[in-house]
Amino acid sequence: MTNITPQNPKLNQKSWQRLEEIVANDFAKKHGEFWVVTGPIFNEQQPTLNNSRVVIPSAFYKILIKPTTPERPAIALAFIFEQDTPPNVNLQQLVTTVDAVEARTGIDFFGNLTTNSKHA
């Protein structure tokens, strides 16, 4: 595992950090076991870090998913954070769908899930 993707310090140390703390501390206690998928989102034309080959993403996503159980289908919660996300943003404003993350990344997350589960 790595965690070395260039992220705006205000994003990394404020709103993104707040979400990570909520996921680790509150969400886990309330909802039990779940999966977390996190990664960068790149646009076609991306700047590089100090003229190196390290590309700076335009945004980041985080998807939380409760796997399917005999009692209920899988459910998901997705977020997209732009690099310039305000430090004190209401995190509910960043909630999106897995489909929206897939559209921005070109990745088919959780391919075995029904489309309805991805809209949660």
Side-chain angles (χ1 to χ4, degrees):
M1 296 175 68
T2 65
N3 190 14
I4 19 180
T5 305
Q7 196 174 62
N8 182 323
K10 288 182 182 178
L11 172 62
N12 183 270
Q13 297 164 11
K14 301 292 182 179
S15 54
W16 185 260
Q17 179 182 357
R18 221 172 14 151
L19 177 62
E20 288 185 329
E21 289 172 356
I22 289 169
V23 168
N25 300 328
D26 303 327
F27 200 85
K29 287 178 187 172
K30 184 174 181 179
H31 298 285
E33 183 178 325
F34 61 96
W35 304 332
V36 180
V37 181
T38 302
I41 298 173
F42 296 98
N43 289 339
E44 287 185 28
Q45 298 295 319
Q46 288 297 137
T48 59
L49 186 62
N50 300 324
N51 296 318
S52 68
R53 294 185 344 191
V54 178
V55 179
I56 300 172
S58 60
F60 296 86
Y61 64 86
K62 187 173 291 290
I63 302 169
L64 313 176
I65 186 161
K66 291 273 301 170
T68 300
T69 68
E71 297 81 33
R72 59 158 181 69
I75 54 173
L77 177 64
F79 297 86
I80 293 180
F81 286 70
E82 302 297 331
Q83 282 278 21
D84 61 355
T85 296
N88 295 318
V89 68
N90 179 337
L91 296 177
Q92 291 180 345
Q93 293 177 330
L94 305 176
V95 172
T96 189
T97 64
V98 174
D99 285 340
V101 176
E102 289 176 335
R104 297 258 325 251
T105 63
I107 300 169
D108 180 16
F109 294 98
F110 319 113
N112 292 334
L113 292 182
T114 65
T115 301
N116 288 342
S117 297
K118 291 184 181 185
H119 290 292

